[in-house]
Amino acid sequence: MIHCRIQQALQSAVAAELPDADLSRVLVRPCDPKFGDYQSNALMALAKQRKMNPRELAAAVERRLDVGEWCDSVEIAGAGFLNFSLRPAAVAAQLQAAARGEHLFFVPSSTPRTVVIDFSSPNVAKPMHVGHIRSTILGDALARVLRLLGHRVIADNHIGDWGTQFGMLLLGWKTQLDESALATHPIDEMERLYKAVNSDESLRDAARAELVKLQSGDEENRAIWQRMIELSQEQFDTIYNRLGVGFDYTLGESFYNDALVGVIAELEEKNIAEESEGALVVKFTDDPKLKKQPAIVRKSDGAANYTTTDLATLEYRQREWSPDEILYVTDGRQQLHFQQLFAIHKRWKPEVVANLVHVWFGSILSHDRTPYKTRSGEVVRLSALLNEAEERAFTVVTEKNADLDEAARREIARVIGIGALKYADLSNNRQSDYIFDWDKMLALQGNTAPYLQYAYTRVRSIFRKGDIENIDASAIILNELEELALAKHLLNFGQVLENVAAEYRPNYLCNYLYELAGHFAAFYEACPVLKAGDEKQSRLLLCDLTARVMRQGLAVLGIEVSEQM
Ligand code: ARG
């Protein structure tokens, strides 16, 4: 890609001028068109370190720079910025290569990584609620982007299938199960059982006894517990199917039960963990952030906990898949847990160098900025949320296309409703809370999925109007400003994908696609396509590439498109 070539050329020029420079920081980025197409600010930092005059350094590097193949001009600006302006012919050459199917403005990584993504991870016997949606959607989008860029991704659903709640569930199951309710609404029934036992103080001991029996391998309790997992998994799968989300593994917490004793023993042996008030804890005395918060790895009743399980999980993943990176996609409230986990792991296995990242996110809020709930104050279930998204989209679709038959409208509504829900999540900075707003996410204007899906169908409809089978890949002409702007934007697709993968932020891609739709609208407004003369082939090609990038971009966000809307 041109952008990489320019960056490489700049790095060679810098290396020739300053042999000791750290080239990994010599970067070129797309910039405000006021300044050019790409910009580098690397020389100012390099000059500062060496107490050199930045503009003089920029001039010296510029003299060594060989980018004539791609750039019209290289300008030294301000305090020592380098601004690059692309040659239209070089832009056209990239478009032609894309039209010939050589690339779609991105290249697979030359250094593929193995990345484990731990996401979604709902809890057994509880309904999946709106809190799990961010993890599911965000994790899936990251998996798709990383795979597109050629990385090996292992999607692992670390479901919560073990813990004290099973004591209450088992007791409830044995004493007050409603079989017919279980048959029709298993999750609701299990939730009811849990609540019934949990709210009755007098049942504490009996529930505790059921838990102990489960833990010691009692056959009846194991069988009921298995059944609860199966019923839950069916619910999860229904949701995942509707969302188009898949996993390579579902290794829940219970999978690591047998490893916990060994983990605890090793932590004691290596003097990482110590006794404190009956519990076994890890203290972080030399970590200013964690100093005040020791992590418990064995509770005073002898039981392991979430941290112990996560340590065993980490060790397993490391041994099984040797990942370069493990991403944990959860709520921001688990930040302390993951900081402690990573810190313990570093002391436990200092030789392991995998990059451990907590990809955390904020909350979904109602208009009054409290956590998003139903009108009666209950947590919102994911299944109800998906139904409502499709139902509302159906109303919008029906308004626009009253003449389509119902099945077709339902299918379009599914694509739009689910897409809108996903996009509303992905287009926000993941670390900020956002307000859940049906009208905003389903709007056909603004930075929404329906707007982008609609832009896609508009481009595609151009092809339906003229019978255009074979577009000539050599036909690119970029005379109009709007044509050139659109073409240059297409060129930046790969760079954006890489930024998403580097910072785990799909919102960069959302912004890019929104801008793409804007560039396309401006182009379409200024440049006739089907009625054009010599430019017709070239403009059709621009349309086709726009549609392909739009579709590919939405696809890695997990969002489908429809040919008709
Ligand atoms: N089940 C947990 C929850 O619902 C999330 C698990 C996240 N993954 C992990 N390895 N701790 O909060």
Side-chain angles (χ1 to χ4, degrees), residues 118 121-123 132 158 160 253 306 310 328 330 334 337-338:
D118 174 324
S121 308
N123 300 316
H132 290 114
H158 189 71
E253 294 179 13
Y306 192 50
D310 255 330
Y328 296 85
T330 86
Q334 297 196 29
H337 166 73
F338 285 106

Side-chain angles (χ1 to χ4, degrees), residues 54-71:
R55 285 190 66 102
E56 277 170 23
L57 176 63
V61 168
E62 196 265 338
R63 278 193 293 278
R64 293 179 182 270
L65 198 58
D66 182 11
V67 290
E69 190 184 341
W70 315 291
C71 296

Side-chain angles (χ1 to χ4, degrees), residues 359-420:
V359 179
W360 61 270
F361 51 82
S363 312
I364 305 185
L365 304 177
S366 300
H367 280 284
D368 63 2
R369 303 205 63 88
T370 58
Y372 188 63
K373 295 258 169 68
T374 61
R375 243 177 242 154
S376 55
E378 303 264 314
V379 292
V380 178
R381 305 220 172 160
L382 216 42
S383 52
L385 202 70
L386 300 189
N387 292 345
E388 186 163 354
E390 292 182 3
E391 216 39 65
R392 284 175 180 261
F394 184 69
T395 312
V396 178
V397 174
T398 302
E399 273 163 26
K400 283 190 84 80
N401 296 295
D403 46 329
L404 273 180
D405 69 51
E406 173 161 353
R409 276 180 285 136
R410 288 268 169 223
E411 172 57 11
I412 299 173
R414 183 188 67 76
V415 170
I416 294 182
I418 303 291

